[in-house]
Amino acid sequence: MVLATEPTVSSTVEMVEEIIHRLQKQHERRALVVDIHHHFFPDFLDKAKASTAVGWQTPQENLPWSAQVSLDFMNRAGIDFALLSFPAFSPGTPGADNRIKTRLVNDYAIKICRMYPQRFGFLATLPILDDTPACMEEIRYCAETLGCFGFSLPSSSGEGPQARIKSPCWLGVFSRTQESLGYVGHDAFDVVWKELNRRHAVVFLHGSQVPSSTPWPHETLGIPVSEVPNETFKAAAHLVVTGRKRKYPNVKIILAHLGGSTPFLAPRVAALSHYMGCSLTPEEILEDFRTFYFDTALSVSEENVKMVASFSSPDRILYGTDFPAVSRGTVSHFQTTLQSISASQAGHSIHQNEATDSKINDAIWSSNALRLFPQIRGLQHQFTKL
């Protein structure tokens, strides 16, 4: 019988060195976790009142919001860096007041980013898109002076009568003029898209919190729950069928909430919009839909991630939380679900092995965002990963 020997000092040192080496390798491998869908609520925004008006309750523990509220959450959730964006409101009318409010929002955001440059960047807000000169100036100011990471746009511009733009509507053999919401793909906004394309900008497209023609069906199904995802789809479809998405390929557009209903309804648009007169073929329409990026905020399930990865690509899925509009518990639920989804479950793992799974999971949590936002890459070495 062979008896076990007591470990020597030498073997103990070697064991400790091996453990340290393994930890160092884990440190090197762990990806920077980037949250690209993270809101901020300036102190001049009455978020509780605004939420109530659309059938939502912003968690009380997140109000009043401050950078520290988000930092505490990020530290507990293991999020290293967040891109701040203003909620998808499109209030008011074009003019001086809207320009002033937009500038206040962007100046507020950059102050936070300069206080915590290793933790926050921001996606700039633009004035109502009808105000082309103001939009062009704000793009220049935010990109060149403030150093924004991109731009955040609501699905439609303005609200009420000021959101109405004349557009042809065909009803059978008759034609009339219909007043339709000013969705982002409208011809009136082409100059803005042309400038964003020239700058190779990233645009975060979030469904507007606007009511539909009927009230929300239940007190637990307010506008953020039942309408916002469809507004995202409508804006994405508008960009595609008007040819704006194809015309300006340098603009990288991220759709919030895994695109809302976009992946599911894209084939319907491809067939029916072409039938209704869209000049693009069904194949071209689907091709353009697939060039969007998709964030995971409030939308993760095995089935949803599998569908988007198959419809587009795992390289176009980015991690997002929608904090502080939702609670830490809600974010934790979706985080846990995303962590449990392996690359093979997403339908893109050829070999069932840990390395492949880790690579694709890292892409969603980190590397896809680092590719879109190279400004973040230099921060990776500054975080403790053990």
Side-chain angles (χ1 to χ4, degrees):
M1 184 174 69
V2 178
L3 298 177
T5 59
E6 291 292 326
T8 64
V9 173
S10 174
S11 64
T12 302
V13 170
E14 289 175 359
M15 189 187 314
V16 172
E17 288 177 345
E18 175 60 25
I19 292 172
I20 292 174
H21 178 71
R22 260 199 330 265
L23 289 173
Q24 287 174 336
K25 286 297 182 183
Q26 291 174 6
H27 172 89
E28 292 169 4
R29 286 199 302 267
R30 186 186 183 282
L32 194 75
V33 176
V34 180
D35 176 6
I36 67 96
H37 188 155
H38 196 113
H39 294 302
F40 68 100
F41 307 147
D43 48 18
F44 49 82
L45 169 67
D46 189 341
K47 186 61 173 68
K49 181 179 179 181
S51 292
T52 300
V54 296
W56 182 247
Q57 294 179 7
T58 301
Q60 287 298 315
E61 64 268 23
N62 297 343
L63 298 174
W65 181 85
S66 68
Q68 195 58 51
V69 170
S70 283
L71 288 171
D72 289 345
F73 155 74
M74 290 163 63
N75 291 338
R76 294 184 184 184
I79 296 168
D80 299 303
F81 193 84
L83 286 177
L84 301 174
S85 56
F86 191 65
F89 300 129
S90 50
T93 59
D97 185 60
N98 183 252
R99 296 180 184 187
I100 291 169
K101 289 179 178 177
T102 300
R103 181 60 58 89
L104 283 173
V105 166
N106 291 325
D107 285 344
Y108 184 96
I110 194 60
K111 287 179 181 177
I112 295 170
C113 296
R114 286 171 178 169
M115 287 174 64
Y116 306 99
Q118 289 81 31
R119 306 305 301 274
F120 295 116
F122 86 105
L123 301 166
T125 299
L126 292 182
I128 290 178
L129 297 185
D130 301 60
D131 193 349
T132 301
C135 285
M136 299 294 279
E137 170 57 23
E138 202 65 20
I139 290 172
R140 184 205 63 76
Y141 173 71
C142 292
E144 298 177 13
T145 303
L146 302 188
C148 67
F149 283 53
F151 300 89
S152 177
L153 293 181
S155 55
S156 57
S157 186
E159 64 180 13
Q162 296 301 325
R164 306 288 172 176
I165 296 177
K166 299 290 185 180
S167 61
C169 175
W170 295 90
L171 300 175
V173 296
F174 301 100
S175 133
R176 67 178 176 82
T177 297
Q178 174 190 346
E179 289 188 338
S180 60
L181 276 172
Y183 283 93
V184 291
H186 199 279
D187 289 347
F189 310 145
D190 190 74
V191 174
V192 175
W193 285 106
K194 183 177 181 180
E195 177 64 11
L196 294 170
N197 187 71
R198 185 184 73 82
R199 292 179 177 271
H200 292 250
V202 176
V203 168
F204 175 56
L205 184 59
H206 193 297
S208 295
Q209 299 189 47
V210 294
S212 68
S213 57
T214 55
W216 57 81
H218 190 266
E219 61 184 8
T220 65
L221 296 172
I223 289 174
V225 180
S226 59
E227 297 293 344
V228 166
N230 290 320
E231 287 300 312
T232 302
F233 154 70
K234 288 157 71 177
H238 197 218
L239 287 167
V240 169
V241 301
T242 58
R244 212 75 58 207
K245 187 73 176 68
R246 180 166 291 241
K247 182 178 180 181
Y248 297 121
N250 294 335
V251 185
K252 300 174 182 65
I253 303 174
I254 305 168
L255 302 182
H257 313 119
L258 284 180
S261 50
T262 300
F264 182 77
L265 293 180
R268 180 184 178 94
V269 173
L272 300 186
S273 291
H274 176 72
Y275 167 76
M276 289 297 292
C278 177
S279 61
L280 299 174
T281 67
E283 293 75 21
E284 288 172 329
I285 291 172
L286 282 175
E287 179 183 324
D288 289 351
F289 269 118
R290 292 187 177 107
T291 63
F292 287 108
Y293 290 79
F294 305 82
D295 89 55
T296 65
L298 307 183
S299 304
V300 174
S301 70
E302 179 182 336
E303 295 78 12
N304 285 354
V305 173
K306 179 178 180 179
M307 176 171 60
V308 174
S310 177
F311 174 74
S312 183
S313 165
D315 294 337
R316 291 179 176 272
I317 303 175
L318 304 106
Y319 178 62
T321 66
D322 220 327
F323 191 85
V326 296
S327 69
R328 295 179 181 184
T330 299
V331 174
S332 178
H333 164 75
F334 286 109
Q335 269 192 326
T336 301
T337 304
L338 183 58
Q339 288 165 350
S340 71
I341 299 173
S342 68
S344 60
Q345 289 172 318
H348 283 269
S349 179
I350 298 175
H351 304 290
Q352 303 289 326
N353 62 69
E354 182 180 348
T356 304
D357 288 356
S358 176
K359 182 177 180 181
I360 294 185
N361 287 335
D362 284 354
I364 294 174
W365 293 99
S366 179
S367 60
N368 292 343
L370 298 182
R371 189 167 56 253
L372 271 186
F373 303 102
Q375 307 96 311
I376 306 175
R377 291 176 190 165
L379 302 174
Q380 190 152 7
H381 71 280
Q382 300 182 30
F383 295 93
T384 302
K385 297 299 176 187
L386 298 181

